[in-house]
Amino acid sequence: VSDRLLEILSHKGRYVARFQEGCFSDLIRADLSKRVFIVDSKVARLYAKPLERVLTSGSCLQIEATEENKSLDRFPGYIQELVSMGIRRGDTLVAVGGGIIQDITCFLAATVFRGLDWIFYPTTLLAQSDSCIGSKSSINVGALKNLLGTFTPPKEVWIDPLVLKTLSEAEICSGIGEMLKIHIIDGPASFDQIAADYDRILRDPACLLHTVQHSLEIKKRFIEVDEFDRGIRNVLNYGHSFGHAIEAATEFGVPHGIAVTLGMDLANYVAMRLGVTSLEHFERMHPVLRKNYLQFEKHPVPFDGFLNGLSKDKKNSHDQLGLILPAQDGIPARGFYSKDARFIDCCEEYFAKVRLG
Ligand SMILES: NC(=O)c1ccc[n+]([C@@H]2O[C@H](COP(=O)([O-])OP(=O)(O)OC[C@H]3O[C@@H](n4cnc5c(N)ncnc54)[C@H](O)[C@@H]3O)[C@@H](O)[C@H]2O)c1
Ligand SMILES: [Zn+2]
C-alpha cells in the first residue's frame, strides 16, 4: 500500500497525495534550494534527525502549533522572517506539521508575492485524513476563528503513516472524529464500516491507513465537484458549527476533531428533538461518537460561551442559525433554524445529561 496515490483536480490543476513511509528522509536527498520550510516546532524536536538538513538549512521557520499562532496579527512577523531568509518569487513553501501549520503556510503561499507554490507533509491524523486536500486556508482574527481564508491547493502532498506514532491518544481521536464525519456523510454503509473497525483503527496500522485512504477518497468526490464550497461541499461542515462553538467556549481546551465529534452527536440529538430526524439515527451513531469523545465527556463547556460562539458562525443568515443536521434518512443536510427556547433547551440537555451516557 506504500505506493498508493490519490489524484485531485483543482482550479489550479491536478495535484497528487502520495502515501510513502519514511518520506521525511527523502528530504535528505531533495534539492532544498528555492524551498522555504515552515515546520511545527514539536515535530522539529521529535524528528530532529530525519529533518536535520531542513532544520539547519537557514530557510526554515519553526512555529508552535497553537490557535494564537494562526492569528492575523502573527503574520507580519512571519513575513519579516521569510524576507530575512531571502525568500524570492518562484520559491516554494513547504509545510511540515498538522492543520495549524498547513493553514499558516497555505495562507502565506496565497498572498506572499501574490502567490507561491506550496507542498505539504501532514503529520497529524486530522491533516492526513482530511485537511491535506481541499484547497482551504483559514486563519483567525482575534477571537474570530477561521474568518480569513483562501482557496489555494498544494502542489504535492506527502503522507507518511509512520509519523502518526508519536501523536497523543487525544490527537488520534481528533483525527478519527473527522474520519467519522466523512464516513457518516458518505452514507450508512461507510458509517457501519468505520464503526465496526473503530477498535482496530487504534491498534492496527494497516486498518488505520485504509481508513485514512477511504476518507480522502470520499472527500475528493465533494471537493472536485464543489471546490469553492458553494453547494454540496457544505455538508463537510457537519458537526462544525457546534464544534467551533465548543472550541471557542473552552478556549481550545478540546481538540478540533473531538469538538467536531461532540458537535455531530449534538447535531443528531437536536435534529431528533426538533423532529427533523428519528431517534434511530441518534442511537445508531451515539455509541461510536461517544467512544471517540470519551476523554472529554465531562470537560466543562461554558454554556453562554457556547451559544455566543454558535451565533457567530459564518453559515448563519441574519436571524437564523445555518446548521448541517441529519435529515430524515440520517444523512446530514444544510438547513436554517431559529435559536429559540426549545433549541437552547435541547443543547443544554445534551451537555448536562446526554453526552454523559
Ligand atoms: N484548512 C483546512 O482545510 C482545515 C481543515 C480542518 C482543520 N483545520 C484546522 O487545523 C487545525 C487543527 O489541526 P490538527 O488537528 O492537525 O492539529 P495541530 O496542527 O494543532 O496539531 C495538534 C498537536 O499535535 C502536535 N503534532 C503534530 N504532529 C505531530 C506528530 N507527528 N507527533 C506528535 N505530535 C504532533 C502539534 O504540535 C500540536 O500540539 C485547526 O486550527 C483547524 O481549524 C484546517
Ligand atoms: Zn474540521
Side-chain angles (χ1 to χ4, degrees), residues 269-277 323 325 337-338 340 342-343 346:
Y269 184 71
V270 168
M272 182 263 287
R273 290 292 313 271
L274 297 180
V276 179
T277 190
L323 298 173
L325 298 186
Y337 302 87
S338 327
D340 54 18
R342 186 155 157 248
F343 177 89
C346 297

Side-chain angles (χ1 to χ4, degrees), residues 126 130 178 181 236-237 240 244 256-257 260:
L126 183 140
D130 176 33
E178 297 279 13
K181 176 199 78 180
L236 297 187
N237 282 308
H240 278 64
H244 286 151
H256 178 72
V260 169

